[in-house]
Amino acid sequence: MTAVSLEHTTVPADTGEVTLLIARRVEPGHEASFERWARGILESAAAFPGHLGYGLFRSSGGDAPWFLVHRFRDEAACRAWQESPERAAWFADCEGHHHTEIARRTLTGMETWFAKPGSTRPAPPRWKMAISATLAIYPISVLGGLFLVPRLTALPLLLSSAVIACVFNVLMTYVAMPAVSRVLRGWLTP
């Protein structure tokens, strides 16, 4: 396995991506009209330059909120959407949907790995996030170097690098970071 120097490597917190997480409470009986409105506003935002993706998460029932998520390339792209006449038009046309915003968070970089939906708790300091990410990626790197890299040597460099990046990203997002954040919860956000 080849060692990689992280001294001049850009870490996720330096990319400038912005994630907007919005919680809205919907009055019972108005879920279908809210969902149509939410899908419309999310799809409208997706047409904006610098918009990277979105999600709509339904309420778990009762008084639990719905969550709308937008990802943007950078702060300027997020601001362009927030100040757009298209967004204003969606909010001007939301009468009768019986929903209200109850929380909003703007997350950048690695903060998104440490944010619990619906929580208003601030993200941990970046130095704690960097230590946590290192603890998460270390075993993935070791295991990847032992088991994955040797099986990809016959592939062209660009293809093998793409496979490694994909596998590492999935493992970081769905396995390692959730586990590390759970184990270090008390230290990350005392």
Side-chain angles (χ1 to χ4, degrees):
M1 180 166 85
T2 306
V4 176
S5 169
L6 295 177
E7 188 174 319
H8 299 292
T9 304
T10 302
V11 294
D14 295 332
T15 65
E17 286 183 15
V18 175
T19 301
L20 192 58
L21 175 65
I22 302 130
R24 297 190 79 81
R25 184 157 291 125
V26 181
E27 293 178 23
H30 298 278
E31 296 86 357
S33 62
F34 169 74
E35 188 166 357
R36 282 189 300 277
W37 177 85
R39 290 202 181 281
I41 197 169
L42 289 167
E43 289 170 8
S44 181
F48 269 66
H51 192 278
L52 301 176
Y54 63 83
L56 175 63
F57 299 91
R58 292 181 179 89
S59 168
S60 60
D63 211 23
W66 291 60
F67 292 97
L68 290 85
V69 180
H70 295 280
R71 283 188 55 239
F72 297 93
R73 177 185 58 237
D74 53 29
E75 180 61 38
C78 182
R79 190 173 40 257
W81 163 248
Q82 294 282 69
E83 297 171 357
S84 72
E86 292 87 347
R87 181 180 177 277
W90 279 101
F91 278 94
D93 185 36
C94 69
E95 288 300 317
H97 295 278
H98 302 275
H99 55 87
T100 53
E101 183 174 303
I102 58 171
R104 173 181 292 258
R105 296 220 21 220
T106 302
L107 306 169
T108 58
M110 288 192 304
E111 294 165 346
T112 57
W113 276 335
F114 297 92
K116 183 177 180 181
S119 170
T120 56
R121 177 182 290 173
R126 286 191 174 188
W127 66 271
K128 286 186 176 183
M129 290 190 285
I131 290 171
S132 301
T134 301
L135 291 173
I137 200 155
Y138 180 74
I140 294 172
S141 298
V142 170
L143 293 173
L146 288 173
F147 299 107
L148 183 62
V149 173
R151 288 168 177 70
L152 301 175
T153 56
L155 296 176
L157 177 63
L158 292 177
L159 183 58
S160 66
S161 295
V163 169
I164 291 168
C166 182
V167 170
F168 279 32
N169 183 40
V170 168
L171 290 173
M172 278 292 287
T173 302
Y174 294 104
V175 179
M177 283 310 300
V180 168
S181 333
R182 196 170 32 258
V183 169
L184 298 179
R185 183 178 299 134
W187 176 70
L188 287 165
T189 53

